[in-house]
Amino acid sequence: MPVKKNSGNKKKEWRRIATEEAFSIPEVAKALRDVARSPSNSQDMILVSRIYDAPDEKSGGGLLPRLLDFEEMRLRDMDETGTTMHLLSLTAPGVQMFDADTATELTALANDRLAEVISRHPTRFAGLASFAPQSPKRAAKEMERAIKKLKLNGFVVNSHTNSEYFDDRKFWPALEAAEALDACIYIHPRAASDGMAAAFRLYGLDSAQWGYGMETSTHAVRMIVSGVFDHFPKLKICLGHMGEAVHFWLWRLDYMNRNAQNRGVAPKLKLKPSEYFKRNFVITTSGQESHLALDFSIKALGAENVLWAIDYPYQPSAPAVAFMDSAPISDADKEKIYHGNAERVFHIKA
Ligand code: 1WB
Ligand code: MN
């Protein structure tokens, strides 16, 4: 599809598909406001109270109106910054702080709304379906509906569910469904699980500053070293924020995981941790605008495994576009990162 030209700007225009772009719906926002007013020790309460129980529209950084909007501020922002498409995902913590029935119901509603807005703007929006890990069998059914009937493009999950991770077999019906549907699961951050949260209670470390990345990288590593990918060799996982830095660790993970296997504290695996990461994962650049980190990621994983993202509305679009436009990489790699990889991994029409 033709990309809107910036007038008077001779810069090369790219087809830009942004792959970690957040939305919500009023029903989920209201349920999160109820969570904010309930007793909970979850570290997510800091964010949930700030955004969903704010005294007026402008507090909480004015994020809620932008999360609930598709056709006004969002499309205007996309037009102004030359962003061709948002791959939308229900924003963190998604439905994962609700009871199983509420979570299951709200995923169906959110997925329906998502499909509806995509059908109105099929060249501007694609979407990741949510599912409720609290009820893995029902989640698997909704996942099948989301891909086969609603034609959504993959899945999003916001890291732990009640402080439990996908190495736990109770969640495997959802992983099995994703693999069978050839649909990638984007593991988006949320605040740290109860067991790791204490160290992040000061200095705003609960947040995207640090805690989110530690939580999500830990989730990915638990999946790898527990043997999830020996059971689901075709399962695809996407990590944002430049892979949550997992690929920086691959040499040490390989070395120390072998020690852990030899001591009998980690299961024997068919492959090395680094080999699963390269086979089963892709990463995005969401909210991590460092050319040095991008260069390392391309060298470590190959340009075909790196996708562009903004992290709208939590980070501004123009710098994310400028970051990728100015990246010192070949045009061929830029085409992959801006759109080709997203089209392949998330089955988006080229
Ligand atoms: C923020 C960033 C909030 C992310 C989020 O809530 C997510 C923030 C769901 O900066 O406040 C993110 O994905 O980086
Ligand atoms: Mn995000």
Side-chain angles (χ1 to χ4, degrees):
M1 116 160 223
V3 173
K4 200 176 156 85
K5 291 264 189 294
N6 299 329
S7 52
N9 183 342
K10 286 201 225 89
K11 259 188 342 195
K12 179 165 167 52
E13 275 303 333
W14 305 90
R15 174 170 160 79
R16 300 183 181 91
I17 302 179
T19 54
E20 190 197 300
E21 314 314 322
F23 79 95
S24 193
I25 60 172
E27 292 83 350
V28 171
K30 178 177 179 307
L32 283 171
R33 192 195 62 187
D34 295 343
V35 165
R37 293 175 183 184
S38 70
S40 162
N41 290 325
S42 168
Q43 192 153 81
D44 283 294
M45 292 297 269
I46 300 168
L47 170 105
V48 166
S49 300
R50 178 163 61 89
I51 297 182
Y52 300 95
D53 199 18
D56 63 71
E57 282 213 334
K58 291 211 175 66
S59 42
L63 285 166
L64 187 53
R66 290 199 286 158
L67 288 166
L68 296 172
D69 160 76
F70 299 98
E71 294 174 291
E72 288 174 22
M73 290 172 275
R74 186 183 302 260
L75 279 177
R76 195 183 326 125
D77 180 272
M78 291 167 68
D79 289 343
E80 284 169 3
T81 58
T83 303
T84 314
M85 180 180 264
H86 274 192
L87 176 65
L88 297 163
S89 46
L90 184 67
T91 197
V95 299
Q96 288 160 260
M97 292 179 82
F98 308 141
D99 66 78
D101 288 345
T102 307
T104 302
E105 257 173 55
L106 285 174
T107 55
L109 188 63
N111 292 340
D112 284 343
R113 294 278 170 76
L114 183 54
E116 206 174 280
V117 76
I118 293 167
S119 75
R120 283 204 298 278
H121 303 278
T123 62
R124 308 308 302 279
F125 297 131
L128 300 179
S130 38
F131 61 94
Q134 297 94 320
S135 189
K137 292 215 174 82
R138 283 187 288 173
K141 280 206 180 118
E142 176 61 15
M143 291 167 90
E144 184 168 350
R145 186 184 79 95
I147 300 296
K148 292 197 171 154
K149 178 148 180 278
L150 301 181
K151 310 286 182 204
L152 294 174
N153 302 85
F155 301 108
V156 63
V157 72
N158 296 287
S159 201
H160 72 86
T161 302
N162 297 321
S163 295
E164 293 177 317
Y165 295 95
F166 281 169
D167 53 297
D168 191 319
R169 284 176 185 252
K170 75 168 136 196
F171 296 120
W172 286 16
L175 304 187
E176 189 182 341
E179 187 191 47
L181 292 162
D182 184 26
C184 180
I185 302 179
Y186 201 126
I187 305 186
H188 187 278
R190 61 180 286 194
S193 64
D194 293 346
M196 73 188 293
F200 305 142
R201 291 213 183 266
L202 291 178
Y203 319 119
L205 291 179
D206 59 285
S207 67
Q209 183 186 180
W210 190 250
Y212 287 9
M214 294 300 107
E215 159 64 27
T216 313
S217 56
T218 301
H219 196 159
V221 169
R222 280 180 73 125
M223 290 174 75
I224 292 170
V225 301
S226 65
V228 162
F229 299 102
D230 283 339
H231 274 84
F232 303 110
K234 297 217 154 95
L235 180 62
K236 271 278 179 213
I237 302 293
C238 182
L239 295 177
H241 315 102
M242 214 62 95
E244 312 292 2
V246 173
H247 51 306
F248 199 87
W249 275 85
L250 291 180
W251 189 92
R252 190 162 170 80
L253 260 180
D254 285 352
Y255 187 92
M256 290 299 179
N257 177 253
R258 181 201 295 248
N259 284 356
Q261 288 189 30
N262 290 340
R263 280 184 285 124
V265 296
K268 294 282 179 202
L269 301 177
K270 290 190 181 149
L271 303 177
K272 293 191 281 192
S274 63
E275 293 172 321
Y276 297 107
F277 200 78
K278 288 172 193 172
R279 185 186 72 181
N280 295 91
F281 286 75
V282 295
I283 72 168
T284 82
T285 65
S286 57
Q288 184 72 280
E289 294 159 15
S290 156
H291 286 155
L292 184 59
L294 175 68
D295 179 59
F296 174 80
S297 299
I298 292 172
K299 285 175 178 151
L301 305 173
E304 51 289 336
N305 293 310
V306 182
L307 287 64
W308 179 66
I310 300 167
D311 213 349
Y312 181 95
Y314 300 105
Q315 285 186 226
S317 307
V321 169
F323 158 70
M324 190 51 59
D325 279 10
S326 66
I329 62 177
S330 70
D331 280 8
D333 282 356
K334 216 173 277 189
E335 296 282 4
K336 291 179 192 169
I337 293 170
Y338 253 148
H339 67 93
N341 297 335
E343 289 157 357
R344 182 188 79 247
V345 173
F346 294 111
H347 309 292
I348 294 168
K349 212 169 110 209

